Amino acid sequence: FNWSMINTVNLNVEVKDAFNGKYQYAIEVFTSNPLADETATPIAAGPAKQSANYIAEVNIPKASSVLSLALISGRKYTHTQYLKMAVH
């Protein structure tokens, strides 16, 4: 029996852009939708570009079954992606 309240998720985010890797993007990871939840704060963040993935090991509450990834270009969200996680 595992009493832990946290799951560890290994992320590997690949950026595909139309600029041949010329620009770097910020990746932010949330446990809720940052566009719908004004109080959402990232649980992880880091840079990525076409030739350099964002790789991170993220601890999330076991109650969370969805992660929201935000790709930020400049100062605004350009794309969000929701990931459904399998519960083990």
Side-chain angles (χ1 to χ4, degrees):
F1 186 75
N2 185 350
W3 289 92
S4 175
M5 301 295 286
I6 295 174
N7 280 329
T8 300
V9 176
N10 294 310
L11 295 176
N12 186 345
V13 179
E14 179 181 353
V15 173
K16 295 187 180 184
D17 66 22
F19 305 104
N20 294 322
K22 182 177 178 181
Y23 300 105
Q24 185 163 290
Y25 300 89
I27 304 295
E28 292 186 343
V29 182
F30 299 86
T31 56
S32 63
N33 181 351
L35 300 176
D37 180 1
E38 293 180 4
T39 65
T41 57
I43 59 170
K49 61 190 283 183
Q50 187 170 343
S51 61
N53 294 359
Y54 170 66
I55 299 171
E57 187 176 275
V58 180
N59 293 321
I60 61 166
K62 280 197 174 182
S64 296
S65 62
V66 176
L67 283 181
S68 177
L69 299 179
L71 173 70
I72 304 167
S73 176
R75 295 181 183 225
K76 60 182 179 178
Y77 295 117
T78 58
H79 182 73
T80 57
Q81 178 71 44
Y82 304 99
L83 305 172
K84 181 78 172 167
M85 296 181 294
V87 179
H88 298 285

